[in-house]
Amino acid sequence: MILRQTRLKNVGALALALTCGVAFFGAQPASAGTLLDFLRSNKHGQTKQTQQRIERGEFPAQPVFEEKAAESKPLPKVSGPRYYTYKADSLRLVASSKFADPLVTGAIAGETATTTPISIDAGSEQRRLLTEAKVRATDEIAKVLEGYYGSNKPLLWINGNAVSDKGKAALAVLSDADAVGLDARDYSVVAPSDQYDSMDEAGHNRALMQFELELSAKMLAYVQDTVRGRVDPNKISGYHDFKRKTVNLSGVLKVAAASPDIAAYLGSRTPSGQQFSLLKAELAKLRAEQKDDDRVVVTLTGLLKPGSSSDQMANIVAAIGKHGSDALKVDHALTLSSYTQTPEYTPELVELVEAFQKERGLKPDGVIGQATVRAMVGDSDADKINKLVVALEQARWLPADLGSRYVFINQPAYMVYYHNNNQEELSMRTVVGSRSNQTYFFQDEVETVEFNPFWGVPQSIIINEMLPKLRSDPSYLDRLGYEVAVNGQAVSSTSVDWNGSTNSISVRQPPSGDNALGELKILFPNSHAIYMHDTPSKSFFKRDVRALSHGCVRLDDPRAMAAAVLGTTVEDVAKQIAAGKNKAVQVPEKFPVYVAYFTAWPNKDNVVEYFDDVYGRDAYVNKAFETTSKARAVQG
């Protein structure tokens, strides 16, 4: 039977703090629950619905636990994911001594091994000197090099006693790795000079062989990095969840050996999707235009409200004049030209600020807070370049082609976008996880829309937030109208020993007008229990900074998103909700959802937008870059 809560409608706003099944840091116990209790309980300590359930015999006549603990045990705590100290892939010396072994068998991955020895050109002084080359590489790359050169395959980058044109072309591509968001220093190789002392031909050949092996190693690293990224996202934090891409490195060497245009081949390995290409073009543009930081500085603390004054008013007006659109500056030309550096926040300046807030997607109320200041000041070119480099790295963790139909949630933007037929058809504001309850970064597939949903309270919230209250007031959940079960058997919350383990205890909130999930939820089953859903707390969408949830993604217009993913109309969705029944509807065909985190990302007009790093994740990616580059710099 569907239980309906008919008490205070605005109580759902308080339940917002208890929505999604994500373990988290720093949960605040009791205080929010106490306020919920005060608003939702009646004078007799139980809800009418709970009393009716007891009368119908839905709870056992006897308590599940006949004995209570004599003393309360220490409260347990569920901790969430953490950020790691990044550890780069270790390097080892390539076993170049094997290159002269005349008993080498087919060692390249994918080839059939044979016991027939492969002949080695013992007369080749260069091949002999290849065994002296000292190159470090990851184990994966080292094995491919050992397989290739140990099987007497042709040299790739040397022609006679000089670096070949192919070698020089490969060097040029690697030296320009910065252009695709990589670090050219990671792939740096010094080519031997074509001019050498004929009396030291052996030394020159030794340098050529060192170069041959080193360039092959760096080229493989470049291809692997440009396809899947320099760093392993799963080593950054527990909030990153990706299956890392695999690259057929043995195939790379085969193609490199046969390719008449190595630059074109290496270029083809860089992602070519629309978003990646736009980010790459923006990076090139900013680097070409990069100049000294000429940002206007606004050192405003607190809020500046209409009618007040501030010594930062002149900087605020200057910042709007610098970063406002041409249309805004035309519409408010008189205000901008007649401003006389006074500190008063006059009605004319309020209109100017409101217009700026509106075009930046902020709440146009004229109140200047930190979100408005950040929009006014903007990022420096250096800041933007850093965000672009991180974004290009993260884009490599996703499929090169996002697909013709997908949902893209960008957490720093607090927005979700629905794409269909390669076009953005819908976008809306979202509420995402708070800093202490961060939303994960992963991809999955949209599968189901559930109307009038139950909310299954996760163990993290039961333990961290409900348990402190339940130990002093076991009737707490009964009075709130939540359903409690032990090993699947419905019980009253007063009959549970809340001093014991909660592993066998489940708690859920029935569908209702103030259910924490609202009218519907959109599921893409994942191990993090994250999904999109409605919320009774609509006022949160009016905020500029919307990192407020326990990790799930709340939708400003959930009916429109449900209609989009189901391929139906908003009217049909409304009928499903109005029926009042808990009902799950499968989407006609599964399609991708990207729960993403990009501080730089192109909009539907192909303009790259920049966002605040709400969780500070870009810094962790940068630390991973530094650690990786440092590990790769070790040679010999």
Side-chain angles (χ1 to χ4, degrees):
M1 174 178 179
I2 303 297
L3 299 180
R4 291 285 177 179
Q5 304 294 336
T6 58
R7 291 176 301 283
L8 297 173
K9 291 183 179 179
N10 65 348
V11 73
L14 299 170
L16 182 70
L18 300 176
T19 30
C20 251
V22 181
F24 53 94
F25 298 109
Q28 299 296 320
S31 58
T34 301
L35 185 55
L36 273 170
D37 185 16
F38 172 77
L39 289 170
R40 301 186 63 173
S41 64
N42 60 27
K43 294 180 181 180
H44 302 290
Q46 289 181 330
T47 64
K48 181 179 179 181
Q49 288 89 338
T50 300
Q51 293 169 352
Q52 291 173 344
R53 292 174 66 204
I54 294 173
E55 292 169 2
R56 290 195 299 270
E58 293 185 17
F59 293 142
Q62 299 295 325
V64 174
F65 300 97
E66 295 183 1
E67 296 183 3
K68 299 287 185 179
E71 296 181 1
S72 293
K73 298 178 181 179
L75 283 166
K77 197 72 173 175
V78 176
S79 297
R82 63 184 179 87
Y83 287 88
Y84 311 133
T85 299
Y86 192 84
K87 295 182 179 179
D89 293 337
S90 59
L91 307 184
R92 69 169 175 85
L93 280 171
V94 177
S96 56
S97 61
K98 296 180 179 179
F99 299 164
D101 187 350
L103 297 178
V104 175
T105 58
I108 297 180
E111 290 189 0
T112 303
T114 175
T115 58
T116 303
I118 299 176
S119 62
I120 300 294
D121 182 7
S124 172
E125 178 66 9
Q126 289 182 334
R127 297 296 298 213
R128 185 187 68 78
L129 292 173
L130 188 62
T131 65
E132 299 179 14
K134 302 294 184 184
V135 171
R136 290 184 178 272
T138 62
D139 186 62
E140 186 177 4
I141 290 175
K143 286 180 178 178
V144 172
L145 294 172
E146 289 159 0
Y148 182 85
Y149 289 102
S151 298
N152 200 31
K153 294 293 192 295
L155 299 179
L156 296 173
W157 318 113
I158 305 301
N159 184 13
N161 290 323
V163 176
S164 67
D165 290 342
K166 178 182 284 190
K168 293 175 182 177
L171 276 178
V173 173
L174 300 191
S175 65
D176 195 36
D178 289 352
V180 293
L182 300 175
D183 188 338
R185 292 171 296 181
D186 285 355
Y187 320 101
S188 176
V189 184
V190 177
S193 172
D194 289 342
Q195 305 298 319
Y196 63 94
D197 186 345
S198 60
M199 299 297 292
D200 188 27
E201 185 172 0
H204 179 66
N205 282 332
R206 185 174 288 107
L208 287 174
M209 292 304 98
Q210 176 69 25
F211 172 80
E212 168 74 24
L213 190 60
E214 194 171 341
L215 180 54
S216 291
K218 297 293 189 179
M219 187 268 292
L220 290 175
Y222 173 87
V223 171
Q224 194 170 52
D225 291 350
T226 197
V227 171
R228 72 178 191 183
R230 280 184 270 172
V231 301
D232 183 347
N234 303 310
K235 292 182 180 180
I236 295 173
S237 83
Y239 292 109
H240 294 78
D241 184 7
F242 289 93
K243 182 179 180 181
R244 204 169 189 201
K245 299 174 184 176
T246 58
V247 182
N248 179 8
L249 296 180
S250 295
V252 170
L253 285 186
K254 291 179 182 178
V255 175
S259 175
D261 188 344
I262 191 64
Y265 168 65
L266 293 176
S268 72
R269 301 311 304 264
T270 294
S272 58
Q274 180 183 15
Q275 291 85 0
F276 191 96
S277 297
L278 289 168
L279 292 169
K280 186 174 70 170
E282 175 84 348
L283 179 62
K285 173 187 158 195
L286 285 179
R287 281 181 168 154
E289 299 174 350
Q290 192 173 11
K291 50 188 177 294
D292 293 337
D293 189 358
D294 60 350
R295 284 186 300 171
V296 177
V297 177
V298 177
T299 58
L300 182 70
T301 58
L303 298 176
L304 180 60
K305 297 182 179 180
S308 56
S309 62
S310 170
D311 60 0
Q312 292 299 303
M313 202 68 239
N315 291 335
I316 288 169
V317 174
I320 294 176
K322 180 176 178 61
H323 295 291
S325 67
D326 290 341
L328 180 147
K329 285 183 273 191
V330 168
D331 291 343
H332 297 271
L334 181 59
T335 299
L336 290 168
S337 62
S338 62
Y339 176 64
T340 58
Q341 310 293 305
T342 55
E344 290 77 22
Y345 192 16
T346 63
E348 294 78 15
L349 294 177
V350 172
E351 290 183 11
L352 173 67
V353 169
E354 288 176 343
F356 180 81
Q357 289 173 325
K358 184 176 181 179
E359 77 174 15
R360 289 304 179 97
L362 302 172
K363 184 179 180 181
D365 57 5
V367 177
I368 303 175
Q370 293 307 303
T372 300
V373 169
R374 284 192 295 271
M376 288 176 176
V377 171
D379 292 298
S380 67
D381 284 350
D383 290 337
K384 290 179 179 179
I385 287 170
N386 182 67
K387 288 183 176 183
L388 288 166
V389 170
V390 172
L392 287 165
E393 171 73 11
Q394 294 177 159
R396 291 179 163 100
W397 305 342
L398 300 176
D401 182 358
L402 299 182
S404 62
R405 186 186 185 209
Y406 60 90
V407 169
F408 191 88
I409 300 162
N410 194 12
Q411 298 166 52
Y414 309 114
M415 292 290 292
V416 58
Y417 312 89
Y418 171 73
H419 286 247
N420 191 31
N421 294 323
N422 296 306
Q423 298 291 327
E424 181 186 306
E425 292 188 353
L426 179 67
S427 66
M428 67 186 69
R429 289 187 161 204
T430 66
V431 171
V432 299
S434 66
R435 284 187 62 88
S436 58
N437 306 286
Q438 299 178 17
T439 303
Y440 288 69
F441 188 176
F442 68 105
Q443 67 185 76
D444 215 289
E445 287 187 319
V446 176
E447 294 187 9
T448 309
V449 176
E450 184 177 342
F451 297 104
N452 302 304
F454 285 85
W455 175 44
V457 184
Q459 281 288 314
S460 61
I461 292 179
I462 293 173
I463 293 172
N464 290 345
E465 302 199 13
M466 292 181 168
L467 197 56
K469 178 64 176 177
L470 286 163
R471 286 195 174 180
S472 61
D473 179 11
S475 67
Y476 170 59
L477 292 177
D478 289 343
R479 289 186 292 101
L480 295 185
Y482 282 73
E483 298 177 357
V484 180
V486 177
N487 292 320
Q489 182 181 14
V491 300
S492 167
S493 70
T494 58
S495 69
V496 176
D497 178 8
W498 294 107
N499 285 296
S501 170
T502 62
N503 289 340
S504 62
I505 299 171
S506 61
V507 178
R508 69 176 185 173
Q509 184 185 24
S512 65
D514 59 357
N515 181 286
L517 303 186
E519 298 176 337
L520 61 87
K521 62 181 178 180
I522 300 172
L523 298 171
F524 32 97
N526 57 84
S527 60
H528 316 301
I530 288 179
Y531 41 86
M532 296 184 287
H533 64 83
D534 181 25
T535 174
S537 299
K538 304 297 185 183
S539 64
F540 280 26
F541 294 105
K542 296 179 182 179
R543 300 188 184 186
D544 296 326
V545 178
R546 297 186 294 279
L548 303 165
S549 82
H550 267 70
C552 278
V553 179
R554 293 170 175 75
L555 302 173
D556 190 23
D557 190 355
R559 293 189 179 191
M561 185 61 73
V565 302
L566 289 172
T568 186
T569 63
V570 173
E571 291 74 21
D572 181 62
V573 168
K575 289 178 182 178
Q576 298 275 15
I577 294 168
K581 295 181 179 180
N582 173 244
K583 181 181 180 182
V585 179
Q586 300 291 318
V587 299
E589 184 177 0
K590 296 178 185 179
F591 61 93
V593 56
Y594 303 101
V595 186
Y597 192 93
F598 287 89
T599 55
W601 194 251
N603 62 22
K604 65 179 179 180
D605 298 320
N606 296 334
V607 175
V608 175
E609 297 179 318
Y610 299 89
F611 310 102
D612 291 334
D613 186 5
V614 58
Y615 298 149
R617 286 183 184 167
D618 283 8
Y620 284 95
V621 176
N622 282 318
K623 288 179 182 176
F625 287 159
E626 292 172 8
T627 301
T628 299
S629 292
K630 185 177 180 180
R632 291 176 173 183
V634 178
Q635 279 294 343

